[in-house]
Amino acid sequence: MTRRARVLLALAVVAAVASGCSDDEATPLSDDQLPSDVVSSATDDAGIPTTSSCEAVNRAQEKVMVTAAPHHGYRYWTYQLDDGSFVGVSVMQPTYPYEDPSAALALVSDAVAECADQDADGGVAALDDVPDGAVGFRSTTTDSNGTREGTTLLAPAGEDRIVTVTTSYDAGTEPSVDAAALLADARDRAGDLDLDLS
């Protein structure tokens, strides 16, 4: 099984799991910050909560993620909305050589540029209008369930954490989720989130 296939499988499993969060546990987003009802949610500390059709972007994100301390340096949350949209939020605290979040974001930014150059048909495209300090890309993926379009934004949160917000929806439909607005909400909460699932 390829790395991309493993990542996609992990995502499919996570999206199907019932929420692992207690009602009083802090999460990166509250229900009222999302545009429609949450039909399922989950949290975990294994797997990459965003993938693209370009291996370079996937590898760059994974490279940063694996430097986070096991079980307490990385965690993500997923939200499946009743309009068919999917939202993923990850918070990580990378270590060497990415203690400085700007180094990690530069790695991802370079990978996005590489992918955009390789795939002129639009599988991955850099976003120009992103929040301050953020890196973003738009991606299109196709599998047995059809074609999905999505937006991924990564940004520093505090001095040593990185927040990633991913949204996806069926191709050809109007997106209901504003990834930039959700990123702002998640960045506000990132420093208070418990990343330890042990």
Side-chain angles (χ1 to χ4, degrees):
M1 182 181 287
T2 67
R3 179 184 303 162
R4 183 169 185 271
R6 289 195 303 270
V7 170
L8 291 173
L9 178 60
L11 284 175
V13 171
V14 168
V17 175
S19 173
C21 306
S22 64
D23 289 340
D24 58 355
E25 181 182 13
T27 59
L29 298 172
S30 61
D31 287 355
D32 62 357
Q33 291 169 321
L34 294 162
S36 62
D37 290 340
V38 176
V39 295
S40 67
S41 62
T43 185
D44 206 340
D45 61 1
I48 304 173
T50 177
T51 60
S52 74
S53 59
C54 185
E55 191 65 23
V57 167
N58 300 339
R59 278 197 315 268
Q61 293 179 101
E62 182 180 34
K63 192 172 182 179
V64 174
M65 183 200 78
V66 298
T67 71
H71 308 300
H72 62 269
Y74 173 76
R75 186 173 176 187
Y76 67 92
W77 293 257
T78 61
Y79 307 86
Q80 187 72 44
L81 307 185
D82 66 357
D83 67 358
S85 300
F86 171 86
V87 176
V89 179
S90 70
V91 178
M92 68 184 88
Q93 188 170 336
T95 60
Y96 179 84
Y98 303 113
E99 301 97 333
D100 179 355
S102 64
L105 296 178
L107 179 73
V108 176
S109 180
D110 289 346
V112 170
E114 176 185 339
C115 290
D117 287 343
Q118 291 175 354
D119 189 359
D121 293 333
V124 171
L127 295 175
D128 296 325
D129 186 18
V130 297
D132 186 41
V135 172
F137 62 92
R138 184 171 289 109
S139 60
T140 303
T141 55
T142 302
D143 59 22
S144 59
N145 295 316
T147 300
R148 302 275 291 179
E149 296 178 0
T151 298
T152 298
L153 292 169
L154 303 91
E159 295 182 1
D160 57 1
R161 289 189 174 189
I162 295 172
V163 173
T164 302
V165 171
T166 300
T167 65
S168 72
Y169 50 90
D170 289 331
T173 63
E174 188 69 25
S176 67
V177 182
D178 182 344
L182 296 183
L183 177 67
D185 293 332
R187 287 173 89 173
D188 286 344
R189 294 180 174 215
D192 298 325
L193 297 174
D194 184 4
L195 306 186
D196 189 355
L197 278 178
S198 59

